[in-house]
């Protein structure tokens, strides 16, 4: 079960784990490229491609980007906030209980869970619904209901309606490639959903 959770987070992070693994420095042997160090230590020339759990990999990638940017304002950096968001992503994928209802023009999904999961859903679903709504091919609403959040996505275009149904709640939450951009904004201390 834990392996499935880790894999789901890696998928949601849109490949951040793989990119981080290619460039992450271990903190040992200052000045030595970590990937080269690992390769040199292996008799078969194998390079490890995963620096750890998915959220750790995402944080590792962000740290690498921040350290490489001479304009990083370290007084504004908020890696704890990014970590909290990554925990929310994991909780949404792992713990949300979702009941989807197909509609002729899309779907509605009621997502619930324990108190922490409902709090996560209330933080994440409306924010992501606002991102989804920027695509004018569909109409998106997110409504907080008692102990749950309802996500409704519909379209007048039958092909788009079929896509909505195929994606379902979790596919819709993972769709659109804005996650990495938002993660970097969060790490820099900006409100990633303010625009």
């Amino acid at each position: 079960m834990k392996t499935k959770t880790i894999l789901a987070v890696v998928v949601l992070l849109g490949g951040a784990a793989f990119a981080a693994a290619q460039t992450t420095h271990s903190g040992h042997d200052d000045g030595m490229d970590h990937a080269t160090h690992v390769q040199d230590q292996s008799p078969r020339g194998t390079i490890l491609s995963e620096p750890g759990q998915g959220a750790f990999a995402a944080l590792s990638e962000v740290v690498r980007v921040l350290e490489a940017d001479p304009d990083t304002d370290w007084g504004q950096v908020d890696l704890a906030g990014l970590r909290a968001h990554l925990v929310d992503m994991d909780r949404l994928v792992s713990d949300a209980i979702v009941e989807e209802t197909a509609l002729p023009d899309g779907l509605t999904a009621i997502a619930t869970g324990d108190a922490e999961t409902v709090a996560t859903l209330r933080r994440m679903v409306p924010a992501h619904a606002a991102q989804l709504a920027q695509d004018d091919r569909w109409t998106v609403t997110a409504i907080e209901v008692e102990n749950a959040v309802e996500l409704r996505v519909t379209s007048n275009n039958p092909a788009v309606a079929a896509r909505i149904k195929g994606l379902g709640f979790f596919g819709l939450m993972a769709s659109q490639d804005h996650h990495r951009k938002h993660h970097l904004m969060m790490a820099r201390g900006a409100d990633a959903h303010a625009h």
Side-chain angles (χ1 to χ4, degrees):
M1 184 67 176
K2 191 64 177 173
T3 301
K4 289 181 182 177
T5 299
I6 291 170
L7 289 174
V9 171
V10 169
V11 169
L12 276 176
L13 295 174
F18 181 75
Q22 300 302 310
T23 57
T24 301
H25 187 276
S26 70
H28 302 292
D29 301 323
D30 288 343
M32 181 179 291
D33 179 78
H34 181 60
T36 303
H37 179 69
V38 173
Q39 185 174 15
D40 291 345
Q41 296 300 312
S42 171
R44 297 176 192 231
T46 303
I47 298 175
L48 297 179
S49 64
E50 176 59 60
Q53 182 256 8
F56 182 89
L59 284 168
S60 177
E61 180 181 38
V62 167
V63 167
R64 178 185 57 79
V65 170
L66 293 174
E67 288 180 336
D69 182 356
D71 295 327
T72 293
D73 181 351
W74 291 100
Q76 294 298 313
V77 167
D78 183 14
L79 293 175
L82 175 57
R83 177 197 175 269
H85 175 70
L86 296 171
V87 168
D88 271 351
M89 290 179 78
D90 186 50
R91 186 176 291 122
L92 181 139
V93 170
S94 302
D95 299 338
I97 300 165
V98 180
E99 181 180 329
E100 295 181 3
T101 302
L103 304 172
D105 56 352
L107 72 77
T108 185
I110 305 291
T112 190
D114 63 21
E116 287 184 348
T117 302
V118 170
T120 287
L121 291 165
R122 288 184 172 162
R123 283 188 293 271
M124 293 196 66
V125 176
H128 191 65
Q131 291 296 312
L132 289 172
Q134 292 181 21
D135 185 333
D136 61 7
R137 292 175 295 171
W138 50 33
T139 302
V140 182
T141 58
I143 305 164
E144 291 185 18
V145 294
E146 186 176 353
N147 297 319
V149 175
E150 178 182 357
L151 177 69
R152 180 181 294 256
V153 185
T154 58
S155 175
N156 293 329
N157 181 326
V160 176
R163 178 179 169 217
I164 292 165
K165 293 173 191 177
L167 287 169
F169 175 80
F170 293 105
L172 287 163
M173 289 300 296
S175 70
Q176 298 189 331
D177 191 20
H178 70 275
H179 297 280
R180 287 169 287 185
K181 177 182 176 184
H182 283 198
H183 293 170
L184 190 54
M185 289 176 68
M186 287 177 198
R188 292 188 187 280
D191 181 353
H193 298 109
H195 56 289

